[in-house]
Amino acid sequence: MYRVALLVFAGISVAGCAVNSSEISSGFADTPLATSSVSKPKAGSQALGGDPGIRRGEVEGTRVAKLDDRAPKGSYEAAPAGALSDRDYSQTELNVELARDIVNQYRKDNGLKPLKLNSELTAAAKAHSRDLSKWDRISHYGSDGSNPWDRVKRTGYKARLAAENVGTGQTTFPEVMTGWKNSPGHNKNLLLADAEHMGIALVNDSKTEFKSFWTLVIGSPM
């Protein structure tokens, strides 16, 4: 039942996006689930989302937006009760420098330059992980309707490129990283040649069904 999801926004020509375009490249709807040799999660529902412009009908297990929640219906997924109750999150934590090194080693192995940690992108990642935890779901939309580009802009980071990977339910960063590498869309984000900076965040909440909420934000400044 753990999930990974992504969106890419570009302010310059990237993967066919026009200048100042908000066109979205997304692999959320058909993204393979992350895998783990630690323990096998209980069966869950199919991942939702994909192109936020597409509105799906009511789906079993999908949380209905409340009046103070402006995330589009069908753009997020909630975990079934007890889906991850058999996993141990007592040691789940984020070592930011180690996560950076893991990402950069992967980029180096693919002939790409390393990313530098950026406080503004980290703030964007933290804000989204906290929001996902509050609502106990996975999505690229915030509860206020914001998308990754909005959240990066709010921090003051003047981006020409911004990309976001999200994961829920993983117990370690290497586990969520494996899920991202095994998904073509997420992997594309990890290997963006023009990227310069990254921010990473984790929120643990034992009271939620998803338990862990990981957000990686990658960007390049104007």
Side-chain angles (χ1 to χ4, degrees):
M1 191 57 223
Y2 33 98
R3 293 285 189 260
V4 290
L6 78 158
L7 284 182
V8 180
F9 288 80
I12 60 170
S13 180
V14 176
C17 294
V19 174
N20 295 324
S21 170
S22 61
E23 182 177 350
I24 299 167
S25 170
S26 174
F28 185 35
D30 55 0
T31 296
L33 302 187
T35 57
S36 171
S37 59
V38 178
S39 62
K40 184 178 181 180
K42 299 176 182 178
S45 58
Q46 182 180 358
L48 306 176
D51 184 347
I54 299 174
R55 299 292 175 262
R56 298 190 178 189
E58 292 299 322
V59 180
E60 183 179 357
T62 300
R63 183 171 181 171
V64 177
K66 296 183 178 180
L67 293 177
D68 60 347
D69 178 6
R70 294 190 290 142
K73 292 181 180 180
S75 68
Y76 50 84
E77 182 179 1
L84 295 170
S85 60
D86 60 341
R87 307 202 79 202
D88 182 7
Y89 293 86
S90 61
Q91 302 300 314
T92 300
E93 61 182 9
L94 174 63
N95 181 318
V96 174
E97 287 74 21
L98 179 59
R100 174 203 59 200
D101 292 346
I102 290 173
V103 170
N104 282 339
Q105 183 61 56
Y106 184 55
R107 289 176 60 85
K108 181 179 179 180
D109 292 344
N110 286 273
L112 298 174
K113 64 185 179 183
L115 303 178
K116 297 179 181 179
L117 288 171
N118 177 272
S119 60
E120 293 163 327
L121 296 187
T122 296
K126 286 181 178 179
H128 194 49
S129 284
R130 288 169 182 154
D131 193 55
L132 294 181
S133 173
K134 176 183 177 180
W135 293 90
D136 196 5
R137 65 190 182 198
I138 184 169
S139 178
H140 287 290
Y141 280 103
S143 59
D144 60 355
S146 63
N147 60 45
W149 187 266
D150 296 328
R151 292 187 291 274
V152 167
K153 185 177 180 181
R154 286 173 183 171
T155 68
Y157 188 90
K158 300 184 185 304
R160 62 181 175 86
L161 170 71
E164 178 182 88
N165 282 4
V166 176
T168 55
Q170 296 84 2
T171 59
T172 66
F173 182 73
E175 183 183 8
V176 73
M177 184 71 173
T178 296
W180 289 338
K181 289 194 292 185
N182 288 340
S183 167
H186 302 87
N187 191 58
K188 182 178 180 180
N189 280 358
L190 294 171
L191 300 179
L192 286 169
D194 292 339
E196 297 181 26
H197 298 132
M198 64 172 278
I200 181 78
L202 165 67
V203 169
N204 288 317
D205 190 341
S206 61
K207 300 185 295 297
T208 65
E209 296 295 345
F210 270 130
K211 310 300 183 185
S212 63
F213 303 83
W214 306 81
T215 303
L216 171 68
V217 180
I218 294 173
S220 291
M222 295 291 289

